[in-house]
Amino acid sequence: VLLVPRSLTNETAERTQTDQLLLPARREREAAGGRGVSGGAVPPGARTHPRLQWECWIHNFQLTLSFVQTLLEILTVKADEAGLVVCTGIVRYSSSVEAVVDPCCRNSMCRIVEQFSEDHVDYQPGSTNTHGALKVARQMLQAPASYKKVAILITDGHSNTGGSPIAFAKQMRLDDDISIVALGVTDSVNEHELRGISGMDFVTKIDYFDDFHEMANLLLEANYMDESELVTTFESICSADTSGGFATTCSRDTMDTEDLWWMGWLEHLHTEEEREMHYSAHL
């Protein structure tokens, strides 16, 4: 399950807006071998111009969605190579929380990615209700204990409504056996909160939304493909997809969870021998 923020806290959004204005100068200095821009004079009106703020927030949200789309496309290709069914959910959150894609619907990855290209996932301002987002993710990931369940959370770590998410995240990890990957965004990330959510000693983060592109390239490299190959392979898979339209609602009561692998390719859920037994049982 992917948890995507619709907004950042006001403080972080303001810092990010300024970063976007300074980004060209930072990139120019980095290319010349100098230190990147992390501060400096703020252009007049940068912190107060409403239209500029809105445009920067939308731009950053689109960069986040682009990264998520790349991740979903890689998931699709790797699952196809392994002959697995991937069940993926997406949660969008700010002050409120919305399940954009419920994994129980069995929408194909092609239909899910279409939601991004057709602009069905839009930006809305608000606070950061990480606790509420994790609650929805936990409901989505009610699968048999033998299946690997993973939640990928994108956040600045500044939860400011709904209560602290740390205790609930620990409950998800220990009681429900849900692994949580917490990806921090912006150079003002609350690392304490991210560590508490993931249960890890280290923090995975990027300082600028622009760096999502670099992270996507790292994912491609780790999976031995380039962007062109990913696009070609993904389009080939989707051209043969006959799953029908996108389903927005479903009932878990009628699900046959034995057929779902719940993003199991992310980590080795079973040994090769166990996988062969699983496939044989379904032939």
Side-chain angles (χ1 to χ4, degrees), residues 232-249:
T232 301
T233 307
F234 180 77
E235 289 180 350
S236 176
I237 293 172
C238 290
S239 66
D241 183 4
T242 59
S243 60
F246 180 79
T248 56
T249 60

Side-chain angles (χ1 to χ4, degrees), residues 69-70 73-74 77 220 225-239:
Q69 180 172 338
T70 299
E73 290 174 353
I74 294 174
V77 173
L220 288 169
M225 66 179 76
D226 57 32
E227 186 173 358
S228 175
E229 181 182 357
L230 174 64
V231 171
T232 301
T233 307
F234 180 77
E235 289 180 350
S236 176
I237 293 172
C238 290
S239 66

Side-chain angles (χ1 to χ4, degrees), residues 144-195:
S146 60
Y147 296 165
K148 186 62 183 177
K149 296 167 282 187
V150 180
I152 302 175
L153 172 70
I154 301 176
T155 179
D156 61 359
H158 291 278
S159 300
N160 56 8
T161 189
S164 172
I166 294 177
F168 188 79
K170 183 177 181 180
Q171 182 181 355
M172 290 174 65
R173 299 195 313 269
L174 299 181
D175 296 347
D176 301 301
D177 197 25
I178 298 173
S179 298
I180 304 177
V181 178
L183 172 58
V185 186
T186 77
D187 59 357
S188 62
V189 162
N190 183 340
E191 296 190 6
H192 170 73
E193 182 168 298
L194 263 67
R195 290 192 188 95

Side-chain angles (χ1 to χ4, degrees), residues 206-233:
I206 59 176
D207 290 339
Y208 300 90
F209 281 83
D210 184 67
D211 293 334
F212 267 128
H213 181 71
E214 297 175 17
M215 179 166 285
N217 286 335
L218 289 175
L219 284 175
L220 288 169
E221 182 179 342
N223 286 280
Y224 306 103
M225 66 179 76
D226 57 32
E227 186 173 358
S228 175
E229 181 182 357
L230 174 64
V231 171
T232 301
T233 307

